[in-house]
Amino acid sequence: MKRYILPALMVCLLATSCKKFLDEQPQGTVSGNDLNTPENVDKMLISAYSALGNDAFTAPYSNLWSYGSVRSGDAYKGGDGPGDVGDFHAYETFALNRVDLGASDVTWFRLYVGVGRANDALTRINAMTEADYPNKTARQAEARFLRGHFYFLLKILYKHVPYIDETIDRAAYDTVSNRGYSSDALWTKIAGDFRFAAENLPTTQAEVGRPNQYAAKAYLAKTLLYQAYTQDENNNVTGKDQAKLTEVNALCDEVIAGPYSLFPDYAQNFLTQYENGSESVFAIQYSLDDNTPFGRIDNGHSLNYPMNKEYGCCGFHVPSYNLINAFVTNSQGLPDFSTFNNNEIAKEGDYESHSFDPRLDHTAAIPGHPYKYRPSFIYQTSWSRAPQIYGPMLSLKETVLFDDPSFKRFPPFMSSSKNWAIIRFADVMLMKAEALIELGREQEALPLINAIRTRAKNSTGRLKMSDGTSTSNYLINTYQPGVNCTWTNDYARQALRYERRMEFAMEGYRFFDLVRWGIAAEYMNTYFAKEKGRVTHLNDASFKKNRDEYLPVPLNQINFSKGLYKQNTGW
């Protein structure tokens, strides 16, 4: 065929009659105008949905474990040592973080791909009439919900980011600064997307995976809760906005009045057979057998499986010794806020002499304990990748059993099509409790926190050895003012913050909670001071206040903007 291409082109160039031939639409392409039909606009919106889980193990943003767990003291990076996905080691130590880390740049880029897809869908939807596209308003609300999600992640990761919506022409993108809005104003823009979604989404969706009105109200509450803790340019928390906290409380009430409830057993949040159940307010939907080579699986967690023959790779996301100690309860079934870390539970391997919050064995894979609730499948130290560096444990919530229908190998990695929750009902309850405590209404927060603890207490049915005995010695009780505690505002705040750690351990929330509360520097440096005596890979670790609360704006992005983007404080 190559013999005929050049002569044909030469003849064509000499003949004016060839102009029409050269102007033919190339086969296999679609023009922008061709997409402006109701059917194709729906597909463009679905492409924005697909960006929710289009991350990879080197830059996971669907779950934020490398940014929210590893940077919080809940987890060690894991893997084969500090050099294995070394960017995550830089995150864990803070002191080794740099402006030119590839993971930070890729995460920024991929989140803006999600923003771009939502904006593209919105542009096309906005141009259509209700008569041509009866779902116009609802689809606008979905697209703005998705855009709000991507910007929420960008905001908690980088603080100052350029805000680009569908009204800005693509030719003008390079004129948009990451300081066009103040930090507070940027929160207001993000809240605006969720507010529109809350006002225009239906209360129920016929198709699983689309957000409903309750999901939008929950995400709006979450956004306003972050915004309520006002920050100065140096990332110091300078106050708490009472009006926003009041709105958080009201929004959470509306969600609580909806169709959601806590699962009876905490384990149900992390098992495929219960996905999209009563506790799932909004979750990323993954899939297998969808006509793609490997399925649309959870690649963001694909490093986090054990090294035994049933799996094979890669031993990342290891619960810290500090986190394991945090699950210890006192003789009254309550946590010891200030002294819990005096224990050496993981090193001693003693889960009988002490008593524990049952969420321990839902969260951590521990040597000698059943893996993923199967008494005949006992987790071993040999299943860990580098126990001499990171200890022998692994994270448990994100994984599935090797014979689970959702499990998928894509050598050398593996993962599953199990959903990953972005917001679950327990989060709504604890957001409301937090708002109430900061409003000075701690007595109203008590039953919310106690409901979470009661569910944890009732979640031991799957935590059994093969002989039917309990995996660990469990003792957890509710807070009973005047009996086992004094429920002052300060005590309630400590209880709430501790409860968030226990409930969402290893789910990627923790670091962002610490920054929101304004305690990240003190908390992390106290953690490092103790943990350096347990593990050597943290020898270089230190948290620099007024810098490390946020990642730097990636150097590549500053260069691409020709210096328009300004670097974050301290970098």
Side-chain angles (χ1 to χ4, degrees):
M1 291 297 293
K2 288 182 180 179
R3 290 180 298 172
Y4 301 106
I5 291 175
L6 185 59
L9 286 174
M10 291 175 65
V11 171
C12 198
L13 289 170
L14 294 172
T16 57
S17 62
C18 283
K19 184 177 185 301
K20 183 177 180 182
F21 170 77
L22 291 173
D23 286 344
E24 285 291 320
Q25 179 75 19
Q27 298 297 307
T29 66
V30 179
S31 72
N33 288 334
D34 289 336
L35 296 174
N36 295 330
T37 67
E39 181 183 8
N40 285 333
V41 166
D42 273 344
K43 292 177 181 177
M44 296 303 291
L45 181 57
I46 289 171
S47 78
Y49 276 101
S50 75
L52 284 173
N54 274 0
D55 52 353
F57 65 88
T58 52
Y61 62 77
S62 60
N63 51 78
L64 296 177
W65 68 267
S66 61
Y67 306 107
S69 292
V70 168
R71 290 198 297 162
S72 73
D74 276 8
Y76 310 137
K77 172 184 75 71
D80 199 32
D84 191 3
V85 192
D87 287 4
F88 295 173
H89 179 67
Y91 294 150
E92 184 177 359
T93 58
F94 292 96
L96 300 178
N97 198 3
R98 307 189 312 271
V99 299
D100 61 346
L101 285 189
S104 300
D105 185 47
V106 171
T107 299
W108 174 293
F109 166 75
R110 290 190 176 186
L111 287 171
Y112 270 106
V113 168
V115 169
R117 291 184 181 187
N119 282 340
D120 185 275
L122 272 168
T123 300
R124 299 177 192 281
I125 295 169
N126 294 347
M128 304 187 80
T129 67
E130 293 277 0
D132 290 335
Y133 194 45
N135 289 328
K136 178 177 179 176
T137 303
R139 295 296 186 249
Q140 285 173 320
E142 290 177 42
R144 292 189 64 173
F145 179 97
L146 295 173
R147 183 173 68 189
H149 167 73
F150 294 123
Y151 271 125
F152 181 91
L153 297 183
L154 284 160
K155 183 74 174 71
I156 62 175
L157 286 167
Y158 303 99
K159 188 171 184 175
H160 292 292
V161 297
Y163 189 84
I164 299 170
D165 64 18
E166 80 279 14
T167 67
I168 299 176
D169 189 87
R170 291 185 181 184
Y173 283 2
D174 60 359
T175 68
V176 180
S177 168
N178 70 323
R179 298 300 180 104
Y181 292 95
S182 67
S183 177
D184 184 68
L186 185 53
W187 276 128
T188 298
K189 295 292 288 185
I190 297 168
D193 275 344
F194 291 124
R195 200 176 298 279
F196 181 89
E199 292 169 353
N200 293 283
L201 285 172
T203 56
T204 60
Q205 291 277 19
E207 295 176 291
V208 172
R210 294 187 190 271
N212 60 24
Q213 184 183 115
Y214 297 110
K217 288 179 178 179
Y219 223 144
L220 176 57
K222 187 172 184 176
T223 302
L224 293 173
L225 183 61
Y226 274 76
Q227 188 181 14
Y229 291 81
T230 56
Q231 287 187 3
D232 64 17
E233 184 54 32
N234 292 320
N235 310 330
N236 299 304
V237 172
T238 57
K240 299 167 188 175
D241 189 317
Q242 301 293 291
K244 288 187 173 61
L245 291 168
T246 299
E247 187 175 3
V248 170
N249 179 51
L251 286 164
C252 289
D253 277 343
E254 293 181 49
V255 180
I256 290 170
Y260 304 101
S261 62
L262 295 176
F263 280 130
D265 189 333
Y266 185 68
Q268 291 172 274
N269 287 293
F270 315 108
L271 295 169
T272 53
Q273 59 266 42
Y274 300 103
E275 58 190 20
N276 298 314
S278 67
E279 195 165 340
S280 179
V281 178
F282 185 70
I284 299 175
Q285 308 289 316
Y286 294 102
S287 61
L288 284 178
D289 302 324
D290 54 8
N291 296 317
T292 61
F294 296 107
R296 178 177 162 71
I297 57 175
D298 179 6
N299 281 322
H301 282 130
S302 59
L303 293 178
N304 302 0
Y305 279 80
M307 300 294 294
N308 58 317
K309 63 183 179 63
E310 287 84 2
Y311 297 112
C313 195
C314 288
F316 280 72
H317 203 202
V318 178
S320 70
Y321 291 139
N322 180 292
L323 178 66
I324 298 302
N325 293 338
F327 285 101
V328 173
T329 58
N330 63 23
S331 60
Q332 295 183 314
L334 299 181
D336 286 321
F337 301 143
S338 59
T339 62
F340 74 89
N341 202 34
N342 294 341
N343 298 302
E344 293 293 348
I345 303 299
K347 289 193 172 184
E348 295 168 356
D350 183 357
Y351 295 90
E352 293 300 327
S353 298
H354 302 270
S355 58
F356 296 90
D357 184 322
R359 286 171 290 193
L360 165 71
D361 283 300
H362 295 282
T363 302
I366 298 170
H369 294 201
Y371 187 83
K372 208 65 186 183
Y373 312 117
R374 181 168 290 178
S376 61
F377 193 46
I378 302 298
Y379 181 82
Q380 308 291 333
T381 298
S382 61
W383 296 13
S384 59
R385 182 85 173 271
Q388 73 283 5
I389 300 174
Y390 299 112
M393 292 173 289
L394 277 179
S395 181
L396 198 57
K397 292 177 176 178
E398 63 264 46
T399 63
V400 300
L401 285 169
F402 61 91
D403 56 0
D404 189 274
S406 70
F407 182 67
K408 179 67 177 181
R409 295 181 184 279
F410 56 112
F413 306 117
M414 64 217 69
S415 193
S416 79
S417 61
K418 178 166 69 75
N419 282 4
W420 187 252
I422 301 300
I423 299 178
R424 51 188 178 88
F425 189 60
D427 198 5
V428 176
M429 295 175 68
L430 291 179
M431 286 193 291
K432 176 178 170 64
E434 182 174 340
L436 287 168
I437 290 166
E438 299 307 332
L439 289 167
R441 297 161 58 183
E442 62 273 5
Q443 294 302 325
E444 297 172 65
L446 178 61
L448 294 161
I449 297 172
N450 277 345
I452 300 292
R453 292 186 66 78
T454 298
R455 193 267 294 274
K457 183 176 183 177
N458 295 333
S459 297
T460 60
R462 288 179 169 86
L463 306 180
K464 303 292 184 181
M465 303 299 289
S466 58
D467 62 1
T469 59
S470 294
T471 303
S472 301
N473 178 30
Y474 305 120
L475 177 63
I476 180 172
N477 284 312
T478 58
Y479 293 101
Q480 301 167 44
V483 177
N484 59 13
C485 70
T486 303
W487 195 254
T488 62
N489 188 260
D490 180 65
Y491 187 94
R493 182 178 294 109
Q494 292 184 74
L496 177 282
R497 294 179 177 183
Y498 209 97
E499 200 64 30
R500 282 197 64 86
R501 188 184 191 191
M502 297 294 90
E503 181 70 14
F504 303 115
M506 309 299 280
E507 294 181 45
Y509 288 81
R510 180 65 173 171
F511 180 74
F512 308 107
D513 284 346
L514 298 175
V515 172
R516 181 174 78 253
W517 298 328
I519 63 172
E522 178 184 2
Y523 182 94
M524 291 306 301
N525 284 323
T526 299
Y527 163 78
F528 288 139
K530 182 77 170 182
E531 212 73 0
K532 286 180 182 182
R534 294 167 171 158
V535 291
T536 60
H537 75 277
L538 292 177
N539 284 346
D540 295 324
S542 67
F543 188 102
K544 186 175 181 180
K545 185 176 174 62
N546 305 133
R547 183 194 78 163
D548 288 329
E549 291 84 1
Y550 295 93
L551 296 176
V553 177
L555 181 61
N556 271 349
Q557 301 303 321
I558 292 177
N559 291 339
F560 293 152
S561 77
K562 299 179 181 178
L564 178 63
Y565 296 170
K566 302 305 179 186
Q567 188 53 271
N568 283 333
T569 298
W571 288 98

